[in-house]
Short mmCIF file of all heavy atoms in Angstrom, two decimals:
data_model
loop_
_atom_site.label_atom_id
_atom_site.label_comp_id
_atom_site.label_asym_id
_atom_site.label_seq_id
_atom_site.Cartn_x
_atom_site.Cartn_y
_atom_site.Cartn_z
N VAL S 28 63.60 37.85 -83.43
CA VAL S 28 63.20 36.74 -84.26
C VAL S 28 64.41 35.80 -84.28
O VAL S 28 65.62 36.28 -84.29
CB VAL S 28 62.83 37.17 -85.68
CG1 VAL S 28 63.89 37.83 -86.39
CG2 VAL S 28 62.32 36.02 -86.46
N LYS S 35 52.74 32.77 -88.79
CA LYS S 35 51.58 32.49 -89.65
C LYS S 35 51.22 33.81 -90.37
O LYS S 35 51.20 34.92 -89.77
CB LYS S 35 50.36 32.10 -88.86
CG LYS S 35 49.15 31.71 -89.72
CD LYS S 35 47.89 31.39 -88.90
CE LYS S 35 48.06 30.05 -88.24
NZ LYS S 35 46.79 29.67 -87.52
N LEU S 50 71.71 40.31 -93.80
CA LEU S 50 72.36 41.61 -93.83
C LEU S 50 72.38 42.19 -95.20
O LEU S 50 72.56 41.38 -96.21
CB LEU S 50 73.78 41.59 -93.26
CG LEU S 50 73.98 41.01 -91.87
CD1 LEU S 50 75.48 40.77 -91.58
CD2 LEU S 50 73.34 41.90 -90.85
N THR S 87 72.64 39.35 -98.42
CA THR S 87 72.07 39.38 -99.75
C THR S 87 72.79 40.41 -100.58
O THR S 87 73.53 41.27 -100.08
CB THR S 87 70.55 39.70 -99.79
OG1 THR S 87 70.38 41.03 -99.40
CG2 THR S 87 69.78 38.79 -98.82
N ASP S 90 70.42 46.10 -100.64
CA ASP S 90 70.86 47.11 -99.77
C ASP S 90 69.96 47.39 -98.59
O ASP S 90 69.87 48.45 -98.05
CB ASP S 90 71.15 48.46 -100.48
CG ASP S 90 69.86 49.01 -101.11
OD1 ASP S 90 68.83 48.30 -101.08
OD2 ASP S 90 69.90 50.11 -101.70
N GLU S 91 69.20 46.30 -98.22
CA GLU S 91 68.29 46.42 -97.04
C GLU S 91 68.32 45.13 -96.27
O GLU S 91 68.74 44.06 -96.73
CB GLU S 91 66.88 46.66 -97.63
CG GLU S 91 66.39 45.56 -98.50
CD GLU S 91 65.09 45.87 -99.23
OE1 GLU S 91 64.30 46.74 -98.73
OE2 GLU S 91 64.84 45.37 -100.31
N TYR S 105 61.54 32.92 -99.49
CA TYR S 105 61.03 34.29 -99.69
C TYR S 105 61.94 35.30 -98.97
O TYR S 105 62.50 34.93 -97.89
CB TYR S 105 59.64 34.43 -99.23
CG TYR S 105 58.68 33.53 -99.93
CD1 TYR S 105 58.30 32.27 -99.46
CD2 TYR S 105 58.11 33.92 -101.15
CE1 TYR S 105 57.48 31.42 -100.09
CE2 TYR S 105 57.20 33.08 -101.84
CZ TYR S 105 56.91 31.81 -101.27
OH TYR S 105 56.03 31.05 -101.97
N PRO S 108 61.51 42.73 -96.68
CA PRO S 108 62.10 43.76 -95.82
C PRO S 108 61.67 43.58 -94.36
O PRO S 108 60.46 43.27 -94.10
CB PRO S 108 61.75 45.08 -96.35
CG PRO S 108 61.48 44.81 -97.84
CD PRO S 108 60.94 43.45 -97.84
N MET S 111 58.61 45.47 -93.19
CA MET S 111 57.35 44.98 -93.80
C MET S 111 56.89 43.67 -93.20
O MET S 111 55.75 43.39 -93.01
CB MET S 111 57.53 44.84 -95.30
CG MET S 111 57.67 46.22 -95.92
SD MET S 111 57.71 46.11 -97.70
CE MET S 111 55.99 46.07 -98.03
N GLU S 119 45.86 47.41 -88.30
CA GLU S 119 45.44 46.65 -87.15
C GLU S 119 46.04 45.23 -87.05
O GLU S 119 46.43 44.77 -86.01
CB GLU S 119 43.87 46.53 -87.08
CG GLU S 119 43.20 47.87 -86.91
CD GLU S 119 41.67 47.62 -86.93
OE1 GLU S 119 41.29 46.49 -86.68
OE2 GLU S 119 41.02 48.61 -87.10
N ARG S 121 48.60 42.23 -87.76
CA ARG S 121 50.03 41.99 -88.03
C ARG S 121 50.04 41.06 -89.25
O ARG S 121 49.35 40.08 -89.41
CB ARG S 121 50.71 41.22 -86.91
CG ARG S 121 51.01 42.12 -85.69
CD ARG S 121 51.94 41.37 -84.71
NE ARG S 121 52.30 42.13 -83.63
CZ ARG S 121 53.34 42.99 -83.60
NH1 ARG S 121 54.05 43.07 -84.63
NH2 ARG S 121 53.61 43.70 -82.52
#
Side-chain angles (χ1 to χ4, degrees):
V28 63
K35 186 185 286 185
L50 303 172
T87 69
D90 61 355
E91 58 190 336
Y105 298 95
M111 293 185 82
E119 296 179 17
R121 285 191 178 273

